[in-house]
Amino acid sequence: MPTLPPTLNRCLEWHEFSDAARQAVNNEGLRCIQAAGLTIDLSGQRDSLTLRDTATALLHTRDFPTQRARLFAGEAVNNTEERAAWHSALRAPAPITEVATERSRMNEFIRKADLERRWRNIVHIGIGGSDWGIRLSLSAFGYRQCWRTVRFLANIDGHALESALSGLDPHDTLIVVASKSFTTSETLQNAARACEWLGSAGVPHPKNNVVAITAKPDVAERWGVPRHHIFPFWDWVGGRFSIWSSVSLTTALSVSSDVVAGMQAGAAAMDQHFIEAPIEHNAPIQMALAGIINRSVLGYGSLNISPYDSRLSNLVPYIQQLDMESLGKSVDKYGRPIEVPTGPAVWGMAGTDAQHTFYQWLHQGSDGAPVDFIVCQHADHGWDEHHKLLLANCLAQRQALMQGKSYEQALAGCLAEGRDQDRAHALAHHRVHAGGRPNTLIVLPKLSPFALGALLALYEHKIFTQAIIWGLNPFDQWGVEYGKVLANDITRDLSADHIDCAHYDASTAHWLQSFNQHNKNP
Ligand code: F6P
């Protein structure tokens, strides 16, 4: 049995790093990094010369440079599934042959469909990584010039199925089934209903209106999708990285292939930055270090994502899956417990809506959370005053989180508003802001495909770097399997004549029987 590297808590460099983090402050000085056209402002995160030195030592003791090289070389960095995590190969400027071949197959399909003005409607059926990235790219770029109607169908909920199909002409509707495994029950059930919908409308060969994007082309063919309508990708593409694969067919059909290519180019530029930039000027690494400090040293339980652009509302669930499905683990890659808190809960909402939803908690809650603000310097609309107010709100919320408001400042404010001394003293306590709450500001010049691609890769590499420091495998997701297995028995028992409640807890047994009875006597 080879000697395993020490767990994080047994690394002297970890303790030196975390001590330096506790003593550092959210410096007021400007600390920005330029990366692939983005500006990442880390002024709201802890910083000190000692922290920088100990961070470098920590990264080296965690073998970061070697692991990063293995990632980009397509080595089996996903040790529990013995696979590579080579999504960077999908966006390489000079792609490997199999990637180039599949990319040109997809582009030919799109060119032909556009030439024939075919498939006015698209129903994209997929879930998780087979869905969020496409929703994000369409909400980012497809809200104006899309001649095709695109509906998304992810949830098994029949209401989702009905709203996805309602009002579409089946004869001019393409069903895109996106599923890496081609076993996800929601996706296969929804796809089967969509085919029935086509058939019942008189479409002669429903499966001819279906394309499948999957890492299991043989399974898709057995399911009935014509071979020339199957766009395979590879096992070394994790589900949550599918956006870089032919899963983006729907984006290319509805917005344009240029958008897909632009996003791939932006991600490739961030790849290069991540590979080449020295640690102190490496945006993903510095965001990762801030994330480790906030989570494992300062104890913040979550990370808030506040994109100040309504076209980026789907960025929140996208990063939720990317981060939480990668870092939501508590054992390292060798199965040993990790003795420090790992992956945070990721949540958020587009600003300024977020200000009217949970910013009270962020400013004055007992815990608060680090915030990633994301904003575009230039808008793609002509409402200049609106954009000015959007930028002002983003910067103001950030300033309030950083500098806070002291009791004395609050008291002065209350008195200035004309309140008497007693009233002002009483109210001032309620208007104190702790301040010093960490944040990162990411500025995109404008929301271009290149900038969005770079942003997504920035988060991918930040998450990878955090995984290396924590010592966990960010590329598997065993935690999502257990619930699926339990669902099989429960699905069976919901319509069984007899339910063996012995292996259910009291509550599950109660509701199983109740729903079972209701199904029989609605
Ligand atoms: O949530 C588990 C998961 O496997 C995700 O990683 C994946 O993106 C999603 O389900 C859908 O999987 P598939 O693309 O294989 O249908």
Side-chain angles (χ1 to χ4, degrees), residues 127-130 179-182 184 239-240 321 325 477 480 484:
I127 198 164
S130 293
S179 177
K180 175 180 178 181
S181 62
F182 224 81
T184 303
R240 48 192 171 278
Q321 183 194 10
E325 205 163 77
Q477 52 285 319
V480 297
K484 290 179 186 176

Side-chain angles (χ1 to χ4, degrees), residues 256-320:
S256 81
S257 306
D258 295 343
V259 162
V260 175
M263 290 179 67
Q264 289 172 344
M270 187 58 77
D271 291 345
Q272 275 319 106
H273 168 83
F274 182 48
I275 291 165
E276 295 167 353
I279 289 174
E280 280 191 33
H281 304 291
N282 193 303
I285 293 177
Q286 291 303 317
M287 281 184 68
L289 292 167
I292 293 272
I293 289 168
N294 291 331
R295 180 72 186 107
S296 302
V297 181
L298 302 179
Y300 286 106
S302 71
L303 167 66
N304 173 270
I305 308 289
S306 288
Y308 270 71
D309 190 308
S310 55
R311 298 167 295 175
L312 291 179
S313 50
N314 281 317
L315 181 69
V316 176
Y318 185 87
I319 296 177
Q320 267 180 324

